[in-house]
Amino acid sequence: HSSSNATSNTMVVSSHSGVAAISLALLLLQNVNALSITESSRAQTARSRLSEAFRSPSKKLTLHPEIVLPEPSDPTALLLRASEVTKLSQILRTRAKASAVFVEGTVDALAPMGKEQEDARGNFPGPVPIVYSLTDSANLSSSLEELQTVDGVEGVMLSFFGGKEIDSVDAYLEEAKDSAITDMCSAIWDAGLQPIPELVLSPGSEWSEEDVERLVDAVKDTCGGLDPVSIVFTNGETADSEEEEESNEEEEEEDSTPALSIPASVSKRTAFIGSIRTNAGGGRMNLATSQLSTDKFNGAFLRADCVPGYRLNPDLNVVGGFWSAAMGELKSLKSKNFSFRSKVKLEKDVPMEWYNYQKDIMESGSLGKPSGGPDPTLNSEGGDYKGF
C-alpha cells in the first residue's frame, strides 16, 4: 500500500515537473521573442539621452543646428580640420547651447567632435548628443562599423525613401512596401544607436491629427515595431522660376515649416522635430521657429541652409559664430517686433554682445526708419543681417 502511495506521489511530482518544464520553455520562448524587438542597454542609453535633448521640461522648442563638415583637398587644411572641429564642438556646447547637433560628413571628420563632447561628460555645460546624418544608405554598414569607435554619437538620421516626397499616409505605405528600411533600423539599434527617420513632405500638404497618428503608427511598423525616439519632418523644396520667386516670397515663408496637427497622445510616443531651411535675415528664422512652437513641435532642426554662403565658404569658425549668435537670439525672451541691420561680429561669438551691438545701432538712428526699405548694399554672404 505504501509502495502504491509512493508511486502515486512520484507521478504527481513528475506531472508537476512536466508542467513546470513546459511553462519554463514557454517563458523562455516569450523572452526570446521579446529580445528580438528590445533595444540593447547601449541603445536604451542613447534613447534616454536623445529624448532628454529633444524635449524641454518647460515645453519650449529645442534647437538643433546642422553642421556640414568639409572634406578639404588641401593637405594642410586636412591637418588643421581636427582642431577646427574640436573648437566648433566646444562653441556649440558652451556658447550656442545647442540641445543636439546633426552632423553631415565623414565619420573621420566627425571623430574630434565626438571626443570633445564625451570629454565634457560630468562637466557643465555637459555634452551635446550627436546625430550622424547618413547621406548614402549604401554606406550604412561601413559607417556603423566606423561609428563604433567614435564617442558622443547617439543616433543616425535616415532620410526615408531616399528623400522622396510623400503627400499622404497611403503614399507612405506604398513606398514602404519594398523598402529595406526595417533592416537598416535594426542594424542601427544593434550598433547601440537610435535610428531617426526623416520624412520629406510634399509642399502644401496638410496632415490632420488622424493622419499624423496613422503616419506615426506606419513609421513604427517600418522601424520594426518600435517607436523611434524622434521623427524629423521636412518640407520638400519648391522649384520656382526667378520671376515667381519675389511674388511667392511671403507664401514660401508661410510654407517653410511642415503643416502637421500633432495629437498630444502621439507626441508622448516620439519627439516631433521640424526642419527649417529659411535663410537668416528679416526675422525669417524667428518666424519659422515660432510657427513650429505654435504647431506643438518638440524641436527645430536648423538646417545648414540657414547659414548664408555655407556651401561656398564652409569656414567652421564662421559657422560656429553664426550659430552662437542666431541661437542666442532665437532663445531670447526679448521682443522680436523690431527690425534692424547690423554687421555680424562673428569673431566675438557672444550673443549678448551681438544684441548690444544691434541695440546701439538702432538707437543711434544711423539706419533711418525701418520702413525705408532694404539697403541695396546689404551683403548677407559677407555677414550683414537684418535680424534672424
Side-chain angles (χ1 to χ4, degrees), residues 308 342-346 354 378-386:
S342 63
K343 182 71 177 178
V344 180
K345 297 293 185 180
L346 290 171
W354 177 293
L378 187 142
N379 175 18
S380 61
E381 291 190 5
D384 290 351
Y385 297 90
K386 182 182 176 186

Side-chain angles (χ1 to χ4, degrees), residues 247-260:
S247 62
N248 291 343
E249 184 176 348
E250 291 184 9
E251 184 178 338
E252 287 177 3
E253 286 179 14
E254 292 176 1
D255 294 339
S256 65
T257 57
L260 301 180

Side-chain angles (χ1 to χ4, degrees), residues 62-82:
T62 55
L63 302 178
H64 319 283
E66 177 183 41
I67 303 298
V68 178
L69 296 178
E71 196 63 26
S73 55
D74 179 73
T76 303
L78 194 60
L79 289 173
L80 294 174
R81 182 180 63 184

